[in-house]
Amino acid sequence: MMKRRPDFWTVVTVLIIVTLVVLLIVPILRVLLLSFVDADTGAWTFGNYVEVFTRNYYLTGFKNTLFVGLLGTLGACLLGIPLAFFTARFHLRGRAWISTLAILVLVAPPFIGAYAWIMILGSNGVVTNFFEGFGIEIPTIYGAHGIILVFTLKLFPFVFLMTQTALNAVNKSFEDAAENLGCTPWQRFTKITLPLVFPAISTGAIICFVLAIADFGTPAILGRGFRTLSTIAFAAYRSELGGLPTMAVTVSMIMMAISMLALFAQRRILSRRRYASSLTNLPVKQKLTGWRNVAVHGFCHGVVLLAMLPTLVVVYTSFLKTNGPVFVGGFGLESYSRILRDTPEAIGNSFLFALAAVVLITAFSSLISYVIVRRDTAASGAIDFLMMVPYLVPGVVMAIGFVTTFRSGSFFGLGTATMLVLLYFIRRLPYGVRSTTSSLRQVKPSMEEAAINLGAPPLTAFLKVTIPLIMPGLIVGSLMSFITAINELSGTLIIYDAGTLTMPVKIYLAVLDGEFGLAAALSTVLLLCTGVCVYAVFRFADNRDSAFL
Amino acid sequence: MALVEIDGLRKLYGDVVALSDISITVPSGSFYTLLGPSGCGKTTLLRTIAGFHNQNAGQIRVDGTSIEGLPAYRRDVGMVFQDYAIFPHLSVYDNVAFGLKQRKVPSAEIKSRVGEVLEVVQLGAFEQRMPHELSGGQQQRVGLARAIVIKPKVLLMDEPLSNLDARLRVDLRAELRRIQQDLGITTIYVTHDQEEALAMSDTVCVMYGGVIQQAASPLDIYLRPANRFVATFVGANNFLGVDQNGADLTLRASGADLSDLLSSAQRPVAITSAIRPEAMHVQAGEAAASADRVAIPASIKEVSFIGREMEVFAITKSGEILKSVDRPDPAIIGLTPGSPVTLTAPRNEIIFFEDSETGERLT
Ligand SMILES: Nc1ncnc2c1ncn2[C@@H]1O[C@H](COP(=O)(O)OP(=O)(O)O)[C@@H](O)[C@H]1O
Ligand SMILES: [Mg+2]
């Protein structure tokens, strides 16, 4: 090849790589290295890992994590798969309503579910008290079963939406052929349809599992002595404050390893099952009658309503009259006025940090998606791969990595607010990139070439032609990253200080203090802006269901 | 208007040689067509000229100056894309004005130039339309207008008509040629359609496997194909085996002596002869050779009557399948497969090639 001065996109590629190295690879490597350091002597050691796998405290946490992770995923599949099948194959009243509720469940802040269930089934919960009135002692929400319940109801939309999308894309001819060859409807479902949508189901399940493993808010709020790796890591981090957080990072690394192993296992299984088919014959929806119809409607609406219940309870609670932390009966706006009195800055900070992160995400995801889609180099392949990493790295790991790498005074010394913005940026960047990338794949490369051919330098061609054409994808991606950034809790909890309190952190602290009214009011504010974003996504996305995955 | 010279151009994709040692000269103001089957490297050559990728070796000169160091956006080479590449978010006017705005042309001048060029492509009334409100043919005209309005030194077109239906293709073909001649713009045109190439071009350049097979006028390409590939790809051809026996050269299918047509000094080891289907005449039954015609006995394989002419496929005794295109003859059309016929052809229309895929013409 003849030498030329580096072109615009080469410069951009280098810029992206540098950013990802500094904000993603270096912090993760710091955490990884730290897990091999002895906290007291600073020498290299495997001792931390030995400790995790020999001490009961950690081993129990390890088993607990797998237990609630696996059962939560199983529960999500048990709700999500039938729901997907029913909505995709039968005539249902309120189908759009069901998927809208499922999407709302999916995007609602994860920790809201946990504490709303306390208000329903906790020691002083509505249902608990109701049964107590009859002298019946019902099990409370605290412990493994509560966590599994919350995971199940929180995570099933992933399985549901992925499976539904896949079911809608199964060529009906396959099912017709099976029937023609003598399969009963049940055989047809288990032998043809289910295997065809298995890749989608397993992808949904893996997302559930990874999120369940990394989730901090739910076990922290509902655990009561039932510890998972994420709460152990957080507690270790808190107790090691001042020293080296070696145990915290070791535990975090193990969480991450579990997620990665699960993902690679799934990829291996899937690599042997790739089915391409053209959608020449659209699936049709059957009409049910009699008790089957009632049962299917009951199941579908029941599941989404049950999953929405915590959100409704939160909104309801926020309008209850309170006096300090105590509900005094009747309705009132005291909880909201308390936000304004106690922590107006939490709202401001949340918006400021999330918006700042989203501005960065929007700019970077448009550039990154161009490099991934249009440039066929090793670097663009590497960037594509790196975009999967933030999904797999628990917030605790990223945050500890950030603190150890960018703590003020260190080489990269950054302020807390900047660190939070960059944390949200790197953790939520993949949401923007994914949406923008799929949008750009539908734009023919000849569009940009035509612009360049007419005399536009690469940057001008990108701004005047590419950006307008991928605008819907860019907007959807930015909204998705905004929703997920403003709801971030686990990483923020590690990094925040008195001046950088955010809404999720304040909610978490209020719940721990038993300030349910205040928590509910803040959660409602958070839900409201999440809801507005969801509505905007509906307006801009081609396919509203898959935009959220 | 500009002279384009390409010298020793080489382009690899990994280890795939897409272009090997391409050297061509496109005279100023001429219509130069790259013709070849899919995958032969036409698009690659065009995109290299446009600057969308770098060559591995060789030079491209426009009016004697190498454009090697110029990035694509400064090459001043207009391009019409196969898929039109009309910007869907811009109106017809803004699409056409795009290149002028990049060149910072004053807005009054932009207005008049866009208006003029839209008249030239007969889209005067469509200025404010959006691309999705246009038909395929109209979009292609916008693509052409957008490329020529900047008055590029060279105009490149990559199969611009291939996405249009057959009738429109023929109409637009003539229009493209007219516009090109009116503007006198040096044009490099890519197609895999031989009819299009022959009808429009000053020069046809036949490519195969990343190599130039022949560059000549349409008539020369047709009458004097440089090698066996060109003879097959441009127009159809019947290839007939010949046997060499000492100084004798005989047609395998009939035993006719062809020694006088090819001097022994010109004979390589393996030779094949070729006769165009339209030079072959079919007669029912047996017929004798004459002084100026060879006669090949054969039996009917298939006869198809396609209106203006009939196509006859016949099998010779040596098993070769020959095609003849002739005026419709009721006596022949009525024949059933297996019926004996004789194909005759003028001796002076037989040409010889070295017997390989791209074997050279010997006469
Ligand atoms: N981006 C690419 N990467 C690898 N091989 C390519 C690429 N583009 C074209 N080729 C190969 O180069 C050869 C020439 O392709 P092309 O120029 O598109 O042919 P044509 O336009 O004549 O159909 C083909 O063998 C094609 O497979
Ligand atoms: Mg091509």
Side-chain angles (χ1 to χ4, degrees), chain A residues 1-2 4-5 444 446-458 460-461 464-466 468-469, chain B residues 11 47 52 54 57-58 68 72-73 75 77-79 81 83 85-89 98-99 102-103 146:
Chain A
M1 284 282 168
M2 302 195 189
R4 288 218 184 146
R5 70 195 167 85
K444 288 174 287 184
S446 58
M447 288 297 162
E448 293 123 25
E449 287 171 359
I452 287 176
N453 179 257
L454 291 168
T460 314
K464 283 196 172 175
V465 174
T466 316
L469 295 180
Chain B
K11 171 70 192 168
R47 291 171 58 83
F52 291 133
N54 302 347
E68 174 77 44
Y73 56 93
R75 289 210 171 174
V77 163
M79 181 143 178
F81 291 80
D83 58 9
I86 304 302
F87 306 132
H89 61 299
F98 192 97
Q102 286 308 316
R103 284 166 175 71
R146 191 176 65 178

Side-chain angles (χ1 to χ4, degrees), chain B residues 93 96-97 100 108-125 127 149:
Chain B
Y93 180 91
V96 177
L100 296 174
E109 190 186 336
I110 292 183
K111 214 170 157 55
S112 68
R113 274 169 74 175
V114 172
E116 270 166 40
V117 79
L118 285 176
E119 287 304 328
V120 170
V121 298
Q122 304 178 6
L123 283 178
E127 267 192 10
V149 76

Side-chain angles (χ1 to χ4, degrees), chain A residues 95-408:
Chain A
R95 220 184 64 82
W97 164 253
I98 290 173
S99 72
T100 305
L101 286 191
I103 286 165
L104 286 174
V105 170
L106 182 106
V107 296
F111 43 88
I112 288 187
Y115 93 82
W117 281 107
I118 294 182
M119 285 184 278
I120 305 167
L121 287 171
S123 18
N124 198 21
V126 187
V127 177
T128 321
N129 290 344
F130 175 79
F131 280 101
E132 221 152 59
F134 297 98
I136 305 170
E137 187 86 8
I138 61 161
T140 61
I141 190 77
Y142 302 103
H145 57 278
I147 298 171
I148 292 167
L149 176 77
V150 171
F151 281 170
T152 300
L153 289 176
K154 167 72 195 164
L155 298 174
F156 82 88
F158 288 103
V159 180
F160 162 52
L161 292 173
M162 294 223 114
T163 312
Q164 183 187 247
T165 309
L167 277 170
N168 285 335
V170 170
N171 205 332
K172 181 170 179 292
S173 310
F174 294 136
E175 293 177 356
D176 288 350
E179 205 159 354
N180 178 258
L181 293 169
C183 284
T184 65
W186 177 249
Q187 286 173 327
R188 189 187 66 193
F189 174 67
T190 55
K191 293 195 172 162
I192 306 295
T193 316
L194 212 49
L196 282 177
V197 297
F198 175 77
I201 295 177
S202 70
T203 306
I206 278 294
I207 297 177
C208 293
F209 184 70
V210 168
L211 289 175
I213 297 280
D215 190 51
F216 167 77
T218 311
I221 292 171
L222 292 178
R224 288 248 177 125
F226 180 88
R227 292 190 182 82
T228 63
L229 291 181
S230 60
T231 55
I232 288 176
F234 185 73
Y237 180 76
R238 273 291 146 97
S239 68
E240 289 169 319
L241 220 52
L244 286 174
T246 54
M247 285 321 289
V249 301
T250 307
V251 171
S252 307
M253 282 332 284
I254 290 169
M255 282 161 63
M256 208 168 114
I258 299 173
S259 307
M260 290 197 166
L261 277 179
L263 183 80
F264 288 129
Q266 187 239 9
R267 287 282 149 110
R268 272 204 75 115
I269 298 170
L270 277 196
S271 64
R272 279 180 284 120
R273 304 173 176 234
R274 287 246 171 272
Y275 317 112
S277 84
S278 56
L279 197 53
T280 47
N281 197 349
L282 284 170
V284 291
K285 292 191 170 53
Q286 249 178 294
K287 218 173 172 67
L288 288 175
T289 52
W291 68 269
R292 288 168 198 271
N293 192 24
V294 176
V296 164
H297 274 85
F299 175 81
C300 293
H301 286 272
V303 166
V304 289
L305 281 177
L306 189 62
M308 269 309 274
L309 188 61
T311 311
L312 300 177
V313 168
V314 164
V315 176
Y316 171 79
T317 312
S318 74
F319 292 108
L320 291 181
K321 202 170 180 61
T322 58
N323 184 5
V326 188
F327 294 107
V328 294
F331 293 95
L333 292 174
E334 284 81 2
S335 300
Y336 289 94
S337 58
R338 278 197 58 204
I339 306 179
L340 295 182
R341 207 169 51 241
D342 289 8
T343 54
E345 79 279 9
I347 299 179
N349 285 342
S350 272
F351 274 95
L352 181 68
F353 301 159
L355 283 175
V358 167
V359 169
L360 286 175
I361 289 172
T362 308
F364 268 81
S365 49
S366 63
L367 294 173
I368 289 177
S369 61
Y370 188 95
V371 169
I372 291 178
V373 175
R374 294 282 196 257
R375 306 276 291 189
D376 188 19
T377 61
S380 64
I383 294 171
D384 195 14
F385 172 78
L386 283 177
M387 281 300 105
M388 226 171 54
V389 173
Y391 288 122
L392 288 173
V393 181
V396 185
V397 175
M398 262 338 286
I400 295 178
F402 261 54
V403 172
T404 46
T405 314
F406 305 119
R407 194 191 295 112
S408 51

Side-chain angles (χ1 to χ4, degrees), chain A residues 376, chain B residues 11-14 16-19 35-47 53 82 158-159 190-192 207 209-210:
Chain A
D376 188 19
Chain B
K11 171 70 192 168
L12 309 172
Y13 292 111
V16 180
V17 183
L19 298 175
L35 172 68
S38 171
C40 72
K42 307 179 298 286
T43 298
T44 304
L45 178 52
L46 217 59
R47 291 171 58 83
H53 43 55
Q82 184 170 9
D158 191 357
E159 314 211 13
V190 161
T191 182
H192 63 260
M207 289 178 69

Side-chain angles (χ1 to χ4, degrees), chain A residues 463-487:
Chain A
L463 294 176
K464 283 196 172 175
V465 174
T466 316
I467 292 283
L469 295 180
I470 59 172
M471 196 49 97
L474 200 53
I475 292 176
V476 169
S478 304
L479 288 165
M480 284 307 296
S481 50
F482 180 76
I483 295 174
T484 49
I486 203 166
N487 289 328

